[in-house]
Amino acid sequence: MTVYVICFLWGTAMHLVDLAGGGHNSYSSPAPAPIRFYFVALVVLDPLVVALLIRLRPIAVIVAGAVMVVDVSANYYVNWPQISQHPDYLLRPLGLLPFTLFALFVAVTASPLYRHLARLARARKLIGHNIG
């Protein structure tokens, strides 16, 4: 869970830096308007995932997975011309490599993390019922 929180906070920071540098035009590229809108929306979606994770909500894992699927798809769509011409573009340390690795990490760990958070939620509910 800590890796999720760190990476989603990092994503929030990067999107805030992008927006601070160029406002809503930060993502003006050949990308369609819905993709540009999504990149701006990540300033809200990334910290939402973090808040849900900190509150130990199982839905956080579903939201994290959805955010990453759309984010990876959008980034590959936008960067496909560079990738297709220069496949080593993926291997650049500050390019799509860390982003892709984190997406794979989420894909591999989502199910066990969801089950863990669901167990915690059930335990909290049980404890809450026994106290009242």
Side-chain angles (χ1 to χ4, degrees), residues 38 63-75 99 103 106-107:
Y38 180 75
V63 176
V67 165
M68 289 310 298
V69 165
V70 176
D71 206 354
V72 166
S73 300
N75 270 285
F99 179 74
V106 169

Side-chain angles (χ1 to χ4, degrees), residues 50-127:
V50 172
L52 291 169
L53 284 167
I54 289 171
R55 297 201 56 181
L56 302 174
R57 304 291 190 222
I59 192 73
V61 180
I62 295 168
V63 176
V67 165
M68 289 310 298
V69 165
V70 176
D71 206 354
V72 166
S73 300
N75 270 285
Y76 274 82
Y77 177 85
V78 169
N79 290 291
W80 190 252
Q82 294 93 331
I83 295 167
S84 63
Q85 291 177 358
H86 306 285
D88 66 326
Y89 186 77
L90 288 172
L91 301 177
R92 294 184 184 161
L94 296 176
L96 292 174
L97 180 62
F99 179 74
T100 302
L101 292 174
F102 177 60
L104 290 171
F105 176 79
V106 169
V108 168
T109 61
S111 183
L113 180 57
Y114 180 86
R115 286 192 308 270
H116 175 69
L117 293 178
R119 278 192 303 273
L120 290 175
R122 283 191 302 276
R124 275 195 320 266
K125 192 179 286 187
L126 194 67
I127 290 169

Side-chain angles (χ1 to χ4, degrees), residues 5-64:
V5 170
I6 290 169
C7 289
F8 277 102
L9 285 176
W10 179 260
T12 301
M14 292 298 95
H15 289 289
L16 285 171
V17 166
D18 289 345
L19 290 175
H24 70 282
N25 292 321
S26 298
Y27 301 107
S28 58
S29 69
I35 290 177
R36 292 192 313 267
F37 175 80
Y38 180 75
F39 288 153
V40 172
L42 286 169
V43 171
V44 174
L45 294 172
D46 284 350
L48 172 65
V49 170
V50 172
L52 291 169
L53 284 167
I54 289 171
R55 297 201 56 181
L56 302 174
R57 304 291 190 222
I59 192 73
V61 180
I62 295 168
V63 176

